[in-house]
Amino acid sequence: MTVILAEERAAVCEFARRMTTDGLVVGTSGNVSARRGELVAVTPTGVDYAGLRPEDVPVVGLDGKIVDGSLKPTSELPMHLTVYREAADPDGKAISAVVHTHSVHATAVSTLVTEVPPIHYMLAAIGPTARVASYATYGTEELAKAMLEALEGRRGCILANHGTTTFGDSLGSAYSRAQQLEWVCQVWLTARAAGTPNLLPAAEIEHVVEKLRGYGQR
């Protein structure tokens, strides 16, 4: 029997567990999804990621209706589907994965500023800046709308008093951006605690955004 989105469901399990191991979430918070065509595999709500199995991962359509699986999808499903339906990668790449974390440093930064200060050039992994979306209750269309506005021209954003959202053409790329965003926020908070950080000019971040387009093996 053919299993719907078998590879994507397995990847969702893998990266959900990585979020816990890497300290980007606590307990069952945070969620990940992977898309193929018109279907999305997404973490279920309220399930311990340590024991998550591919068959536990529900599959939904872009309209949010469950196509396969017996468990309810994450409460943040509106956020994931909004990315797939309405967000755009700055380089025109397909968006095939979304990662939502409750990472500590990024969440802390969201309570202090409206954009992540350019403390390090790796901020360019997200875009020219990383915006902080205005606060809205978790799991709501209002939160999804605020996130979408903050994502314009970016590959990720911070959700005020909540966490982060990043996307990519694979779960690996989306997850890497979540890690980079959290690391940049940690660097800024550490420097800020010790004094007044020297920041990079906006033009340098823009320059690195361009350099990253050709980075890595081809």
Side-chain angles (χ1 to χ4, degrees):
M1 182 178 70
T2 301
V3 178
I4 299 175
L5 266 56
E7 292 183 8
E8 287 78 7
R9 285 166 132 168
V12 164
C13 292
E14 176 191 347
F15 282 93
R17 284 191 284 270
R18 282 187 61 181
M19 285 199 305
T20 303
T21 301
D22 293 343
L24 297 180
V25 300
V26 174
T28 62
S29 65
N31 29 79
V32 302
S33 67
R35 174 185 181 179
R36 192 204 312 164
E38 300 300 301
L39 298 178
V40 176
V42 62
T43 43
T45 186
V47 174
D48 186 351
Y49 294 149
L52 187 65
R53 303 167 302 170
E55 57 265 37
D56 297 326
V57 176
V59 174
V60 302
L62 293 178
D63 58 1
K65 293 181 180 178
I66 297 177
V67 174
D68 194 35
S70 59
L71 300 182
K72 291 175 58 177
T74 172
S75 59
E76 295 293 8
L77 184 61
M79 188 161 59
H80 288 257
L81 295 181
T82 294
V83 173
Y84 293 126
R85 291 191 304 241
E86 303 183 51
D89 182 271
D91 293 334
K93 294 182 178 180
I95 298 176
S96 300
V98 176
V99 172
H100 168 54
T101 80
H102 286 186
S103 52
V104 173
H105 299 95
T107 303
V109 168
S110 80
T111 69
L112 300 171
V113 294
T114 58
E115 284 188 334
V116 179
I119 188 74
H120 193 278
Y121 66 80
M122 277 314 299
L123 181 60
I126 300 300
T129 64
R131 303 185 186 102
V132 177
S134 56
Y135 180 80
T137 305
Y138 81 92
T140 62
E141 294 291 346
E142 289 79 9
L143 176 59
K145 181 180 178 181
M147 172 208 66
L148 186 63
E149 292 175 357
L151 282 175
E152 184 176 356
R154 309 292 187 272
R155 299 175 187 84
C157 69
I158 300 179
L159 310 172
N161 304 82
H162 186 155
T164 72
T165 300
T166 54
F167 64 74
D169 58 1
S170 67
L171 264 172
S173 62
Y175 191 80
S176 175
R177 285 167 186 152
Q179 290 178 302
Q180 294 285 4
L181 183 54
E182 170 66 359
W183 182 82
V184 169
C185 289
Q186 183 178 7
V187 170
W188 183 69
L189 285 172
T190 302
R192 187 175 183 269
T196 303
N198 291 322
L199 302 177
L200 296 171
E204 174 59 13
I205 301 297
E206 292 271 12
H207 175 59
V208 177
V209 168
E210 292 300 320
K211 283 178 67 70
L212 286 177
R213 288 196 170 104
Y215 181 76
Q217 302 293 328
R218 293 293 183 269

